[in-house]
Amino acid sequence: NAGVTQTPKFQVLKTGQSMTLQCAQDMNHEYMSWYRQDPGMGLRLIHYSVGAGITDQGEVPNGYNVSRSTTEDFPLRLLSAAPSQTSVYFCASSKKSGGLTDTQYFGPGTRLTVL
Amino acid sequence: AQSVTQPDIHITVSEGASLELRCNYSYGATPYLFWYVQSPGQGLQLLLKYFSGDTLVQGIKGFEAEFKRSQSSFNLRKPSVHWSDAAEYFCAVGPGNNNDMRFGAGTRLTVKP
């Protein structure tokens, strides 16, 4: 199994550009989530999904959109990139029974720089 | 709201020495507590978790953690550190309002030969 995969690994954007970070999992997990990791701040939850067609906001949702059309995929869209969105982004998945407080499986991350 | 404090930003230990990483939490009820490890350039991997029961929890790679309700702590320990343990360690607490976890800022571990 590939687990949780993320593309791209690295991305540089200019302020105002839009892009989509891809996330896919092959473990048939219902729960998927997006975090950003900033120095000295740990991981902060951006958006999450409890199943196909259902998404909700986390701690820091502003400037990001998500959708969940399939169980496997959970893309994160930056609508108009800002330098404050420079960060490392992690996607994670977990089983429905435990939700976000069950063991989460993390992807390798996407390092995004916004100039 | 729940929160997690990891007081040590960076710790250096010698290979073979014992290790203790501190984690203090704030939570209104019995928390779910987690320790994750992040190796350089990698995603996070679960080391261990506590939901209920025995307050001493065993995890992977020889790590253990002890839940102390009276001290609101969940410190991570390892009796003998290996060079491969050099990584960043995150403590997390939940569930929160979104049934999510809150992560601490992390402790970076350096292992001296």
Side-chain angles (χ1 to χ4, degrees), chain A residues 26-37:
Chain A
D26 62 0
M27 297 174 283
N28 203 30
H29 285 169
E30 283 85 358
Y31 280 74
M32 295 186 75
S33 52
W34 275 102
Y35 293 88
R36 59 178 290 173
Q37 183 182 29

Side-chain angles (χ1 to χ4, degrees), chain A residues 16-19 61-66 76-82 85:
Chain A
Q17 288 185 316
S18 62
M19 79 158 295
N62 292 342
Y64 307 95
N65 272 358
V66 292
L76 178 73
R77 297 183 186 83
L78 278 70
L79 309 172
S80 177
Q85 293 179 303

Side-chain angles (χ1 to χ4, degrees), chain A residues 12 14 26 48 57 76 97 105:
Chain A
V12 179
K14 295 181 180 178
D26 62 0
Y48 67 100
Q57 297 180 351
L76 178 73
S97 59
Y105 296 84

Side-chain angles (χ1 to χ4, degrees), chain A residues 31 35 37 40-45 48 56-59 90 98-109, chain B residues 32 34 36 38 41-46 49 51 88 90 94-106:
Chain A
Y31 280 74
Y35 293 88
Q37 183 182 29
M41 301 188 73
L43 277 74
R44 293 181 292 169
L45 183 66
Y48 67 100
D56 209 341
Q57 297 180 351
E59 184 184 357
F90 288 99
L100 294 175
T101 52
D102 203 338
T103 301
Q104 293 198 62
Y105 296 84
F106 285 82
Chain B
Y32 293 3
F34 306 79
Y36 280 84
Q38 183 182 28
Q42 303 295 317
L44 279 70
Q45 180 185 21
L46 181 70
K49 59 187 177 185
F51 285 175
E88 188 143 20
F90 293 92
N97 293 335
N98 295 321
N99 201 32
D100 62 340
M101 298 188 294
R102 285 296 171 93
F103 286 83

Side-chain angles (χ1 to χ4, degrees), chain A residues 23 57-58 74:
Chain A
C23 174
Q57 297 180 351
F74 190 44

